[in-house]
Amino acid sequence: MKVELGPVTRLEGHLNVKTTVENKVIVDAKCEGEMFRGFERILQGRHPLDAQQITQRICGICPYAHGLASSYAQEEAYRITAPANGRILQNLIQGANHLYDYLLNFYQLSAIDFIDVTAILKYTGKDRDLIHLRDWVKAKLANGKAHAAAPFLPRLSGDYVENTDINIGALKNYLVALDIQRKSNQASAIFGGKFPHATSIFPGGCTQEARIDLILAYKALIEEVRAFILDTYLPDIMAIASLYPAYWNIGASKGGFLSAGLFPLGADQDGKRLFSSGYVANQTAATAPFDCNAITEETAHSRYAPHGPEKLAAGTLVPDPSRGYSWIKAPRYAGQVAEVGPAARLIVSYHHPEDQRVRGVVDGYLKKLNLTIFQLNSVLGRHLSRGISATLIADYLLEACEQLTPGQPTMAAHKIPATGEGFGLTEASRGALLHYLRLRNGVIEKYECVVPTTWNCSPRDGKEVPGPLESALIGLHVASPEEQLESLRVIHSFDPCLACAVH
C-alpha cells in the first residue's frame, strides 16, 4: 500500500513523504523536497559582503545561523578574527534565536501530535486565553469549518493524551510559549538590529555596540525565557515522555552523528566551542574531528544533473526536473549517512574528551530517565535534546553577557582580497550548517551551503542508502496506514526546514 503524507504541515517549506506500508509497517519511505530556489547561483558574481545578508533569506526561522556561517567563511577568506566583544555579540544574537526555535518546535509544531486539542471544548475555567480559544474552536465547528481551526483541527486519528488536565495545561502553555518566543526574538533583535534577518551580523564581529543599557535589557529577557524553560518547557517534555515511553525507541536514524560546533568561546572561531564539533559513528564512543573535506554531495536521486560524490569546492548545480524524486541533494560524511540536529549535537559533545560541561548535564538526565546516550536518537530523544540544549544555552548567554566590555571594539577591520576561500561552520537549531565561499577578482566565484535539513531529509545516494529521516521511518509500525500519526511524530521530531534544504 502506497501512501503520500504530503503536504506535511507544521514545518517550514514544502515536504512530501511517500511511504509504502505492508501489514501496518512502513517498508519504504522517500522524502521529497518539492521546489528549487538557487541561492548559490544568486550569489555568483556578487560582492562578498552581500552574502551574509542574502543567505539569511534562505530561512526566516533560523536566519542568524546563515548570516554567521557566511561571516565565518568570509573571516577565513579575509584572514581576520573578530574582537572578543564581537564574537560574544554574535553568540548572543544566535543563542536567543535557538531558544525561540526550540520552543516553537515543541509547542507549535510537535505537541499537537500528542495532546488532545478537543479537550478545549470541555473547558469550564476562568482563564481568558483558554476561553477565547474554546469559543473560537466552537464557532468554527458550529459553522462547519473545522478546517479553518488549524492547526488544532482537523486532526488525525490516534492515541492522544487522555488526561483532560494535562491537555488543558499543555494548551495553556502553547499560548504562553508564543509570548516567550516573542521575548527571545526581542533579545536577538537588541544586538541583531531586527528579527528576522539581522543587519548587524558582519564578518569580523557585530556592528552594534556593547552598551550597558542593551546588555541589561538582553539579560532581563533571557532570564524570563530561562525561567519558562526550567519551570514549564522541560516539565512538559517529561510529561509527554512519561505517557509515551515507547518513543524513546522509535524514530532512530540509521547512521552516524555530525555536529559543526556552536558558540565559539574565544575570538578564534576555530577554537573551543560550548558545543563541540565532530563526528560520531553510530554506537561508538569517540568523537572524530570535523573535516570539511570529508563532506560530499551527490545527486543519484535528486533533480539535478547526475554526478557522483563531489566535494564542496568542486560542487555543481545544474537543475534537471526530469530526474530523481527530490530537489534536495544527498550529502554524506566520509561516505556515510549522518544525522544532524539537537540529538547529534549532544551525542558529539558527550563523546568529546574536552566537553565535560555538556556531558555532566546530559548524564544527569540519562540517569534520571534510565536511558543510554544513543537513545537520544529517537522521537523523545530529539525533544529532550532540545530541552537540555535550551538550559545550557540560556545559562551560557547570561554568563556571556558578563564577559562583554562596554566601550571596547565589536568589529575587526578588514580588506577584501582579490582571491581567497573559506569555510564557515556553525549549528542552526536544526543542526550542522556549513557555508563555503571562494573569491576571484574580489567577487564571489563559488558559494556552497550544506544545511541541516539537506542532511536529515536527504534522498537516497548512489549506493541506494536512505537518508536519516527516510531510515527513521522505515520499520515504523502505524496504527492507520492511511493517516500515520506515528510518522508525523517522527517527522516533526527532526523539525525539518525545507526552505533551507532546497536553498
Side-chain angles (χ1 to χ4, degrees):
M1 179 181 187
K2 296 185 181 298
V3 179
E4 294 193 29
L5 303 181
V8 182
T9 59
R10 284 184 275 123
L11 52 79
E12 171 58 41
H14 306 276
L15 173 66
N16 185 23
V17 179
K18 290 183 176 179
T19 62
T20 302
V21 185
E22 296 179 0
N23 299 318
K24 295 188 175 183
V25 175
I26 296 176
V27 296
D28 190 30
K30 292 182 178 178
C31 294
E32 297 185 349
E34 297 187 309
M35 64 182 292
F36 170 71
R37 301 177 75 197
F39 271 82
E40 292 151 336
R41 282 196 164 188
I42 292 170
L43 287 164
Q44 291 176 5
R46 298 191 69 107
H47 193 284
L49 292 179
D50 290 345
Q52 80 274 4
Q53 285 301 319
I54 290 175
T55 57
Q56 286 191 68
R57 272 69 185 175
I58 288 175
C59 183
I61 297 177
C62 55
Y64 303 144
H66 287 287
L68 282 172
S70 181
S71 294
Y72 291 167
Q74 291 179 67
E75 287 176 14
E76 189 169 285
Y78 308 161
R79 298 183 179 179
I80 60 174
T81 299
N85 270 357
R87 192 68 76 210
I88 293 170
L89 290 178
Q90 288 180 344
N91 289 347
L92 294 181
I93 295 167
Q94 187 180 17
N97 184 230
H98 270 253
L99 300 183
Y100 148 74
D101 212 346
Y102 298 152
L103 297 176
L104 172 69
N105 170 260
F106 183 74
Y107 286 102
Q108 278 67 50
L109 306 183
S110 299
I112 297 175
D113 294 333
F114 295 95
I115 65 171
D116 183 0
V117 295
T118 65
I120 194 64
L121 300 173
K122 305 173 185 177
Y123 181 66
T124 59
K126 298 181 179 180
D127 186 284
R128 287 192 291 180
D129 290 334
L130 291 174
I131 291 171
H132 178 75
L133 178 60
R134 179 198 64 197
D135 293 345
W136 177 76
V137 172
K138 281 186 174 181
K140 297 297 183 183
L141 292 174
N143 293 327
K145 296 181 179 180
H147 64 281
F152 301 104
L153 295 172
R155 63 172 191 163
L156 301 178
S157 61
D159 58 328
Y160 294 96
V161 173
E162 296 180 356
N163 185 294
T164 299
D165 291 338
I166 292 177
N167 286 316
I168 295 297
L171 288 169
K172 174 61 177 177
N173 293 340
Y174 176 107
L175 300 173
V176 175
L178 292 170
D179 186 56
I180 299 298
Q181 291 164 39
R182 177 178 58 83
K183 292 177 179 179
S184 294
N185 289 335
Q186 283 181 315
S188 290
I190 285 174
F191 296 117
K194 66 187 184 76
F195 177 85
H197 314 320
T199 54
S200 69
I201 293 175
F202 210 77
C206 176
T207 60
Q208 178 58 270
E209 295 177 303
R211 299 200 323 250
I212 292 177
D213 60 325
L214 300 181
I215 296 169
L216 293 175
Y218 181 95
K219 284 185 66 177
L221 289 166
I222 295 301
E223 284 171 348
E224 192 168 350
V225 175
R226 180 181 180 273
F228 181 84
I229 289 167
L230 295 175
D231 298 340
T232 305
Y233 175 37
L234 275 167
D236 281 349
I237 293 173
M238 294 298 193
I240 293 295
S242 68
L243 297 171
Y244 293 89
Y247 279 86
W248 291 116
N249 299 298
I250 291 174
S253 64
K254 312 302 191 294
F257 307 94
L258 186 67
S259 172
L262 179 63
F263 303 132
L265 298 180
D268 185 356
Q269 59 159 305
D270 294 326
K272 182 175 174 55
R273 298 191 176 199
L274 181 69
F275 295 90
S276 300
S277 66
Y279 173 77
V280 173
N282 196 10
Q283 301 299 321
T284 64
T287 297
F290 192 105
D291 181 4
C292 293
N293 291 314
I295 297 173
T296 57
E297 292 185 296
E298 55 185 289
T299 60
H301 291 280
S302 302
R303 298 187 184 278
Y304 302 97
H307 62 74
E310 290 183 334
K311 293 188 177 182
L312 302 185
T316 56
L317 185 69
V318 181
D320 184 353
S322 68
R323 297 188 66 254
Y325 63 86
S326 179
W327 285 104
I328 303 172
K329 286 187 175 183
R332 296 293 183 261
Y333 189 84
Q336 303 300 310
V337 171
E339 176 178 334
V340 301
R345 190 181 307 132
L346 291 188
I347 289 170
V348 168
S349 281
Y350 186 88
H351 290 100
H352 196 283
E354 297 179 3
D355 211 334
Q356 299 303 314
R357 179 173 183 171
V358 172
R359 175 188 281 268
V361 174
V362 173
D363 268 336
Y365 282 92
L366 296 180
K367 183 177 180 180
K368 181 177 181 179
L369 295 165
N370 194 28
L371 302 173
T372 66
I373 183 63
F374 286 105
Q375 283 180 282
L376 295 182
N377 178 20
S378 64
V379 170
L380 288 177
R382 295 183 190 99
H383 290 302
L384 177 63
S385 295
R386 289 185 184 90
I388 294 173
S389 296
T391 64
L392 287 162
I393 291 171
D395 286 346
Y396 163 71
L397 296 179
L398 294 175
E399 294 168 9
C401 285
E402 301 296 330
Q403 298 167 5
L404 289 167
T405 306
Q408 291 300 305
T410 62
M411 282 290 302
H414 70 270
K415 181 179 180 180
I416 298 174
T419 60
E421 66 177 348
F423 291 94
L425 296 170
T426 189
E427 287 275 308
S429 57
R430 290 165 180 81
L433 175 64
L434 184 152
H435 284 211
Y436 169 76
L437 166 86
R438 186 167 71 232
L439 305 180
R440 184 177 182 181
N441 298 325
V443 299
I444 296 171
E445 180 184 42
K446 183 172 184 57
Y447 208 99
E448 288 282 334
C449 304
V450 187
V451 309
T453 302
T454 311
W455 288 99
N456 286 339
C457 288
S458 157
R460 282 161 169 74
D461 57 27
K463 298 177 182 177
E464 300 300 317
V465 179
L469 179 51
E470 291 181 345
S471 68
L473 289 168
I474 295 172
L476 178 66
H477 182 274
V478 292
S480 171
E482 295 82 4
E483 297 186 77
Q484 297 188 26
L485 175 61
E486 299 85 359
S487 293
L488 284 187
R489 288 169 175 166
V490 174
I491 293 168
H492 288 145
S493 75
F494 280 89
D495 195 15
C497 177
L498 273 293
C500 282
V502 300
H503 58 274

PDB file of all heavy atoms in Angstrom, residues 337-356:
ATOM      1  N   VAL A 337      25.968   8.144   5.872  1.00  0.00           N
ATOM      2  CA  VAL A 337      24.808   8.932   6.274  1.00  0.00           C
ATOM      3  C   VAL A 337      25.068   9.505   7.665  1.00  0.00           C
ATOM      4  O   VAL A 337      25.613   8.821   8.540  1.00  0.00           O
ATOM      5  CB  VAL A 337      23.542   8.053   6.294  1.00  0.00           C
ATOM      6  CG1 VAL A 337      22.370   8.798   6.921  1.00  0.00           C
ATOM      7  CG2 VAL A 337      23.187   7.600   4.886  1.00  0.00           C
ATOM      8  N   ALA A 338      24.683  10.759   7.877  1.00  0.00           N
ATOM      9  CA  ALA A 338      24.873  11.381   9.187  1.00  0.00           C
ATOM     10  C   ALA A 338      23.641  12.190   9.556  1.00  0.00           C
ATOM     11  O   ALA A 338      23.173  13.020   8.769  1.00  0.00           O
ATOM     12  CB  ALA A 338      26.105  12.279   9.193  1.00  0.00           C
ATOM     13  N   GLU A 339      23.109  11.935  10.754  1.00  0.00           N
ATOM     14  CA  GLU A 339      22.048  12.783  11.296  1.00  0.00           C
ATOM     15  C   GLU A 339      22.683  14.010  11.916  1.00  0.00           C
ATOM     16  O   GLU A 339      23.749  13.941  12.539  1.00  0.00           O
ATOM     17  CB  GLU A 339      21.226  12.033  12.349  1.00  0.00           C
ATOM     18  CG  GLU A 339      20.156  12.911  13.008  1.00  0.00           C
ATOM     19  CD  GLU A 339      19.288  12.181  14.025  1.00  0.00           C
ATOM     20  OE1 GLU A 339      19.133  10.951  13.904  1.00  0.00           O
ATOM     21  OE2 GLU A 339      18.759  12.848  14.942  1.00  0.00           O
ATOM     22  N   VAL A 340      22.018  15.154  11.751  1.00  0.00           N
ATOM     23  CA  VAL A 340      22.430  16.376  12.425  1.00  0.00           C
ATOM     24  C   VAL A 340      21.247  16.884  13.243  1.00  0.00           C
ATOM     25  O   VAL A 340      20.115  16.439  13.070  1.00  0.00           O
ATOM     26  CB  VAL A 340      22.896  17.449  11.425  1.00  0.00           C
ATOM     27  CG1 VAL A 340      24.059  16.943  10.591  1.00  0.00           C
ATOM     28  CG2 VAL A 340      21.741  17.891  10.518  1.00  0.00           C
ATOM     29  N   GLY A 341      21.511  17.817  14.156  1.00  0.00           N
ATOM     30  CA  GLY A 341      20.423  18.343  14.966  1.00  0.00           C
ATOM     31  C   GLY A 341      20.729  18.273  16.443  1.00  0.00           C
ATOM     32  O   GLY A 341      21.852  17.974  16.856  1.00  0.00           O
ATOM     33  N   PRO A 342      19.735  18.515  17.287  1.00  0.00           N
ATOM     34  CA  PRO A 342      19.973  18.603  18.734  1.00  0.00           C
ATOM     35  C   PRO A 342      20.494  17.312  19.347  1.00  0.00           C
ATOM     36  O   PRO A 342      21.370  17.346  20.214  1.00  0.00           O
ATOM     37  CB  PRO A 342      18.598  18.981  19.301  1.00  0.00           C
ATOM     38  CG  PRO A 342      17.618  18.587  18.245  1.00  0.00           C
ATOM     39  CD  PRO A 342      18.329  18.785  16.946  1.00  0.00           C
ATOM     40  N   ALA A 343      19.967  16.169  18.916  1.00  0.00           N
ATOM     41  CA  ALA A 343      20.457  14.897  19.458  1.00  0.00           C
ATOM     42  C   ALA A 343      21.891  14.643  19.014  1.00  0.00           C
ATOM     43  O   ALA A 343      22.747  14.257  19.822  1.00  0.00           O
ATOM     44  CB  ALA A 343      19.540  13.754  19.029  1.00  0.00           C
ATOM     45  N   ALA A 344      22.155  14.857  17.725  1.00  0.00           N
ATOM     46  CA  ALA A 344      23.517  14.664  17.218  1.00  0.00           C
ATOM     47  C   ALA A 344      24.489  15.601  17.921  1.00  0.00           C
ATOM     48  O   ALA A 344      25.622  15.212  18.261  1.00  0.00           O
ATOM     49  CB  ALA A 344      23.533  14.900  15.710  1.00  0.00           C
ATOM     50  N   ARG A 345      24.062  16.839  18.157  1.00  0.00           N
ATOM     51  CA  ARG A 345      24.925  17.825  18.816  1.00  0.00           C
ATOM     52  C   ARG A 345      25.321  17.349  20.204  1.00  0.00           C
ATOM     53  O   ARG A 345      26.491  17.448  20.615  1.00  0.00           O
ATOM     54  CB  ARG A 345      24.187  19.159  18.891  1.00  0.00           C
ATOM     55  CG  ARG A 345      25.020  20.335  19.328  1.00  0.00           C
ATOM     56  CD  ARG A 345      24.158  21.603  19.377  1.00  0.00           C
ATOM     57  NE  ARG A 345      23.466  21.792  18.115  1.00  0.00           N
ATOM     58  CZ  ARG A 345      22.167  22.058  17.996  1.00  0.00           C
ATOM     59  NH1 ARG A 345      21.401  22.154  19.082  1.00  0.00           N
ATOM     60  NH2 ARG A 345      21.621  22.219  16.817  1.00  0.00           N
ATOM     61  N   LEU A 346      24.353  16.822  20.961  1.00  0.00           N
ATOM     62  CA  LEU A 346      24.665  16.338  22.305  1.00  0.00           C
ATOM     63  C   LEU A 346      25.483  15.059  22.271  1.00  0.00           C
ATOM     64  O   LEU A 346      26.388  14.870  23.100  1.00  0.00           O
ATOM     65  CB  LEU A 346      23.377  16.118  23.101  1.00  0.00           C
ATOM     66  CG  LEU A 346      22.584  17.364  23.505  1.00  0.00           C
ATOM     67  CD1 LEU A 346      21.453  16.996  24.455  1.00  0.00           C
ATOM     68  CD2 LEU A 346      23.478  18.431  24.134  1.00  0.00           C
ATOM     69  N   ILE A 347      25.192  14.174  21.334  1.00  0.00           N
ATOM     70  CA  ILE A 347      25.956  12.921  21.231  1.00  0.00           C
ATOM     71  C   ILE A 347      27.419  13.221  20.924  1.00  0.00           C
ATOM     72  O   ILE A 347      28.335  12.612  21.505  1.00  0.00           O
ATOM     73  CB  ILE A 347      25.323  11.996  20.169  1.00  0.00           C
ATOM     74  CG1 ILE A 347      23.996  11.440  20.685  1.00  0.00           C
ATOM     75  CG2 ILE A 347      26.265  10.848  19.812  1.00  0.00           C
ATOM     76  CD1 ILE A 347      23.174  10.709  19.636  1.00  0.00           C
ATOM     77  N   VAL A 348      27.670  14.163  20.012  1.00  0.00           N
ATOM     78  CA  VAL A 348      29.050  14.532  19.675  1.00  0.00           C
ATOM     79  C   VAL A 348      29.740  15.175  20.873  1.00  0.00           C
ATOM     80  O   VAL A 348      30.869  14.803  21.235  1.00  0.00           O
ATOM     81  CB  VAL A 348      29.072  15.477  18.454  1.00  0.00           C
ATOM     82  CG1 VAL A 348      30.463  16.098  18.276  1.00  0.00           C
ATOM     83  CG2 VAL A 348      28.668  14.716  17.190  1.00  0.00           C
ATOM     84  N   SER A 349      29.085  16.138  21.514  1.00  0.00           N
ATOM     85  CA  SER A 349      29.700  16.788  22.671  1.00  0.00           C
ATOM     86  C   SER A 349      29.919  15.806  23.815  1.00  0.00           C
ATOM     87  O   SER A 349      30.933  15.868  24.526  1.00  0.00           O
ATOM     88  CB  SER A 349      28.821  17.951  23.148  1.00  0.00           C
ATOM     89  OG  SER A 349      28.993  19.088  22.352  1.00  0.00           O
ATOM     90  N   TYR A 350      28.963  14.897  24.006  1.00  0.00           N
ATOM     91  CA  TYR A 350      29.049  13.918  25.084  1.00  0.00           C
ATOM     92  C   TYR A 350      30.302  13.058  24.948  1.00  0.00           C
ATOM     93  O   TYR A 350      30.932  12.699  25.949  1.00  0.00           O
ATOM     94  CB  TYR A 350      27.808  13.032  25.056  1.00  0.00           C
ATOM     95  CG  TYR A 350      27.692  12.062  26.206  1.00  0.00           C
ATOM     96  CD1 TYR A 350      27.080  12.442  27.395  1.00  0.00           C
ATOM     97  CD2 TYR A 350      28.166  10.757  26.102  1.00  0.00           C
ATOM     98  CE1 TYR A 350      26.957  11.553  28.454  1.00  0.00           C
ATOM     99  CE2 TYR A 350      28.050   9.859  27.150  1.00  0.00           C
ATOM    100  CZ  TYR A 350      27.442  10.262  28.325  1.00  0.00           C
ATOM    101  OH  TYR A 350      27.323   9.371  29.371  1.00  0.00           O
ATOM    102  N   HIS A 351      30.672  12.729  23.720  1.00  0.00           N
ATOM    103  CA  HIS A 351      31.824  11.864  23.487  1.00  0.00           C
ATOM    104  C   HIS A 351      33.121  12.632  23.269  1.00  0.00           C
ATOM    105  O   HIS A 351      34.174  12.028  23.071  1.00  0.00           O
ATOM    106  CB  HIS A 351      31.559  10.951  22.286  1.00  0.00           C
ATOM    107  CG  HIS A 351      30.531   9.901  22.547  1.00  0.00           C
ATOM    108  ND1 HIS A 351      29.228  10.012  22.124  1.00  0.00           N
ATOM    109  CD2 HIS A 351      30.598   8.723  23.207  1.00  0.00           C
ATOM    110  CE1 HIS A 351      28.550   8.948  22.498  1.00  0.00           C
ATOM    111  NE2 HIS A 351      29.348   8.153  23.157  1.00  0.00           N
ATOM    112  N   HIS A 352      33.045  13.959  23.308  1.00  0.00           N
ATOM    113  CA  HIS A 352      34.258  14.756  23.116  1.00  0.00           C
ATOM    114  C   HIS A 352      35.018  14.841  24.436  1.00  0.00           C
ATOM    115  O   HIS A 352      34.443  15.173  25.476  1.00  0.00           O
ATOM    116  CB  HIS A 352      33.887  16.165  22.636  1.00  0.00           C
ATOM    117  CG  HIS A 352      35.036  16.922  22.063  1.00  0.00           C
ATOM    118  ND1 HIS A 352      36.011  17.502  22.844  1.00  0.00           N
ATOM    119  CD2 HIS A 352      35.387  17.181  20.770  1.00  0.00           C
ATOM    120  CE1 HIS A 352      36.900  18.098  22.072  1.00  0.00           C
ATOM    121  NE2 HIS A 352      36.546  17.925  20.811  1.00  0.00           N
ATOM    122  N   PRO A 353      36.319  14.546  24.433  1.00  0.00           N
ATOM    123  CA  PRO A 353      37.053  14.464  25.710  1.00  0.00           C
ATOM    124  C   PRO A 353      37.118  15.774  26.481  1.00  0.00           C
ATOM    125  O   PRO A 353      37.313  15.762  27.698  1.00  0.00           O
ATOM    126  CB  PRO A 353      38.461  14.012  25.268  1.00  0.00           C
ATOM    127  CG  PRO A 353      38.553  14.370  23.818  1.00  0.00           C
ATOM    128  CD  PRO A 353      37.171  14.236  23.275  1.00  0.00           C
ATOM    129  N   GLU A 354      36.948  16.918  25.806  1.00  0.00           N
ATOM    130  CA  GLU A 354      37.072  18.199  26.495  1.00  0.00           C
ATOM    131  C   GLU A 354      35.736  18.819  26.863  1.00  0.00           C
ATOM    132  O   GLU A 354      35.701  19.922  27.415  1.00  0.00           O
ATOM    133  CB  GLU A 354      37.861  19.176  25.609  1.00  0.00           C
ATOM    134  CG  GLU A 354      39.292  18.733  25.319  1.00  0.00           C
ATOM    135  CD  GLU A 354      40.020  19.715  24.431  1.00  0.00           C
ATOM    136  OE1 GLU A 354      39.423  20.757  24.102  1.00  0.00           O
ATOM    137  OE2 GLU A 354      41.178  19.438  24.085  1.00  0.00           O
ATOM    138  N   ASP A 355      34.646  18.138  26.587  1.00  0.00           N
ATOM    139  CA  ASP A 355      33.327  18.744  26.780  1.00  0.00           C
ATOM    140  C   ASP A 355      32.648  18.205  28.036  1.00  0.00           C
ATOM    141  O   ASP A 355      31.591  17.589  27.991  1.00  0.00           O
ATOM    142  CB  ASP A 355      32.450  18.495  25.559  1.00  0.00           C
ATOM    143  CG  ASP A 355      31.448  19.618  25.332  1.00  0.00           C
ATOM    144  OD1 ASP A 355      31.102  20.285  26.321  1.00  0.00           O
ATOM    145  OD2 ASP A 355      31.040  19.834  24.188  1.00  0.00           O
ATOM    146  N   GLN A 356      33.253  18.454  29.187  1.00  0.00           N
ATOM    147  CA  GLN A 356      32.735  17.931  30.439  1.00  0.00           C
ATOM    148  C   GLN A 356      31.436  18.612  30.864  1.00  0.00           C
ATOM    149  O   GLN A 356      30.594  18.006  31.528  1.00  0.00           O
ATOM    150  CB  GLN A 356      33.785  18.082  31.539  1.00  0.00           C
ATOM    151  CG  GLN A 356      35.075  17.320  31.261  1.00  0.00           C
ATOM    152  CD  GLN A 356      34.832  15.837  31.039  1.00  0.00           C
ATOM    153  OE1 GLN A 356      34.100  15.193  31.788  1.00  0.00           O
ATOM    154  NE2 GLN A 356      35.432  15.281  29.992  1.00  0.00           N
TER     155      GLN A 356
END
